[in-house]
Amino acid sequence: MNQAKPNILLIYTGGTIGMMKDAASGALRAFDFDKLLERIPELKLLDCTIDTTSFEKPIDSSNMNPRYWMKIAEIIDTHYEAMDGFVVLHGSDTMSYSASALSFMLENLAKPVIFTGSQLPIGDLRTDAKENLITSIQLASLQEMGKPMISEVGLYFEYKLYRGNRTAKINAEHFEAFSSPNYPELAESGVHLKVNHDLLLRPQPNTEFKVHKQVDDNIMLIKLFPGINKRTIECMLNRPLLKGAILETYGAGNCTTEKWFIDELKRAINKGVHLINVTQCPGGSVLMGQYQTSMQLMDIGVISGKDITSEAAICKLMFLLGMNTSGQEFKKQFETSLRGEMS
Ligand code: ASP
């Protein structure tokens, strides 16, 4: 059995956790990573070895984009063999998107990648940053028979570890900023760290870790609302180079049955645009055919997003397009759970 302490790589991308108030404007901006570590001497007490790396210019996660996802994926790829686990410090605003994107980009992951951040900067007296960071490192360090206990992309915030691609940011003020409406917590931190082993993804034996760095951003997110008109839909679906769109529909995947609407969708599908039905409800699943108002979507070939979040659906769409998946294979892949993102 391996008795050595686990090696954890801390990847700092930016976010409130490492921000300070700008003296002149009073606005929060990122400061350099070394100072972040100076502020948490407790890290030295953890039963693991911690290495750190940082984006050259840490960002507010509102500036996150696929090029940064590739950067995170590359860092993990470079250090994959040497490290037992990874903790990604990231702004909370787009953390669910990044955790989802990385879950697809990292295939056959056999080690933990835990995203975390905070609502208050680490230097703030009432900060939530220390608990989030320390517990994330502990979770990434958990081992069973010398192997990492968690082997997927998680998101840890306010005492709960979630599957990253099941989360959404639900509150801009509360410390409990995330939820995972369609999948239970993977672990909970109380007096003890309670891991729900049965809910974890298991690494597939005899598979090789693979990093996919191509994603295609020629996509669109269309949220339906009563009053959305033909001109708007026409304009969105005829955008040059469009390859796929997430339709955020009502309830269990329902939409207007007006002829112009269905005709526009049909035209887009005939041009080769992939349309995916995702509910705009925070929880629950699309079930096309349950109501008459989703029957036609099914008939014209709209893909079911089942109970995927919009955040994960966007990332899965970009990922599958990046893999050049097309036609029926695209539909099949999208409707299959690739990384535990749908039930
Ligand atoms: N705007 C910040 C960011 O997402 C908020 C946070 O870190 O929680 O980078």
Side-chain angles (χ1 to χ4, degrees):
M1 203 155 104
N2 180 12
Q3 293 296 322
K5 285 184 179 185
N7 293 322
I8 305 300
L9 183 66
L10 209 54
I11 305 168
Y12 179 55
T13 69
T16 299
I17 194 161
M19 287 188 182
M20 57 188 285
K21 278 219 167 99
D22 184 89
S25 68
L28 286 172
R29 63 171 175 79
F31 71 94
D32 86 75
F33 189 55
D34 298 342
K35 297 211 177 98
L36 176 80
L37 288 179
E38 269 169 31
R39 283 166 198 258
I40 327 166
E42 294 92 329
L43 291 182
K44 296 193 186 80
L45 303 175
L46 290 171
D47 205 16
C48 58
T49 316
I50 302 172
D51 276 356
T52 60
T53 183
S54 166
F55 276 9
E56 215 167 288
K57 271 205 179 128
I59 58 164
D60 184 301
S61 78
S62 308
N63 281 319
M64 187 48 68
N65 63 45
R67 284 191 306 282
Y68 289 119
W69 293 340
M70 283 172 221
K71 211 165 166 169
I72 300 171
E74 265 160 22
I75 294 174
I76 293 172
D77 196 14
T78 307
H79 297 89
Y80 192 74
E81 286 311 320
M83 293 291 151
D84 297 293
F86 301 85
V87 173
V88 183
L89 299 179
H90 191 291
S92 61
D93 287 348
T94 59
M95 197 187 294
S96 293
Y97 291 90
S98 296
S100 299
L102 267 295
S103 76
F104 296 115
M105 294 164 83
L106 308 177
E107 192 178 349
N108 299 328
L109 189 62
K111 300 184 178 186
V113 175
I114 314 287
F115 277 75
T116 195
S118 66
Q119 291 281 55
L120 284 175
I122 199 110
D124 195 289
L125 209 51
R126 294 175 48 252
T127 191
D128 52 329
K130 284 192 185 180
E131 200 286 319
N132 286 348
L133 174 58
I134 288 169
T135 308
S136 294
I137 296 173
Q138 284 184 322
L139 286 164
S141 308
L142 290 176
Q143 304 235 327
E144 221 171 23
M145 320 267 280
K147 292 222 165 87
M149 190 180 283
I150 296 162
S151 53
E152 58 178 294
V153 178
L155 186 155
Y156 182 79
F157 223 87
E158 191 63 4
Y159 304 113
K160 285 180 181 146
L161 176 72
Y162 307 101
R163 175 162 301 151
N165 58 29
R166 290 292 195 147
T167 62
K169 184 170 180 182
I170 48 140
N171 201 294
E173 293 174 20
H174 294 169
F175 286 144
E176 194 163 350
F178 289 87
S179 84
S180 169
N182 290 332
Y183 200 74
E185 292 94 67
L186 302 180
E188 208 171 336
S189 164
V191 173
H192 304 287
L193 273 184
K194 188 172 162 280
V195 179
N196 298 316
H197 293 264
D198 296 347
L199 299 172
L200 297 174
L201 284 181
R202 296 273 161 227
Q204 295 302 311
N206 306 321
T207 53
E208 214 178 301
F209 175 60
K210 224 187 273 170
V211 180
H212 301 279
K213 292 179 190 156
Q214 296 303 322
V215 296
D216 189 330
D217 61 3
N218 286 303
I219 65 156
M220 190 168 288
L221 171 65
I222 304 175
K223 181 170 186 155
L224 300 187
F225 57 89
I228 194 163
N229 62 31
K230 185 168 187 297
R231 271 190 316 281
T232 308
I233 291 287
E234 229 173 40
C235 176
M236 293 204 264
L237 290 178
N238 286 306
R239 163 207 177 284
L241 298 178
L242 184 69
K243 293 186 188 158
I246 307 294
L247 291 177
E248 263 200 10
T249 56
Y250 311 123
N254 307 317
C255 65
T256 175
T257 48
E258 283 178 81
K259 185 171 178 320
W260 65 264
F261 180 74
I262 302 296
D263 284 349
E264 282 304 326
L265 300 189
K266 228 193 287 182
R267 198 164 304 144
I269 291 173
N270 288 342
K271 276 195 314 191
V273 176
H274 305 287
L275 295 183
I276 295 112
N277 188 351
V278 173
T279 176
Q280 52 184 257
C281 293
S285 182
V286 160
L287 197 59
M288 287 195 280
Q290 186 183 15
Y291 288 87
Q292 199 233 329
T293 44
S294 63
M295 215 57 194
Q296 296 184 80
L297 296 182
M298 195 162 70
D299 293 343
I300 64 174
V302 170
I303 296 164
S304 176
K306 301 183 184 175
D307 63 351
I308 199 169
T309 60
S310 292
E311 287 85 340
I314 286 168
C315 298
K316 188 171 184 176
L317 178 54
M318 288 200 230
F319 166 71
L320 288 177
L321 290 173
M323 300 271 285
N324 288 319
T325 317
S326 58
Q328 276 308 304
E329 184 56 23
F330 186 99
K331 181 171 158 65
K332 194 173 137 211
Q333 292 269 324
F334 204 103
E335 292 182 344
T336 305
S337 173
L338 301 179
R339 311 280 192 266
E341 73 282 4
M342 51 170 57
S343 305

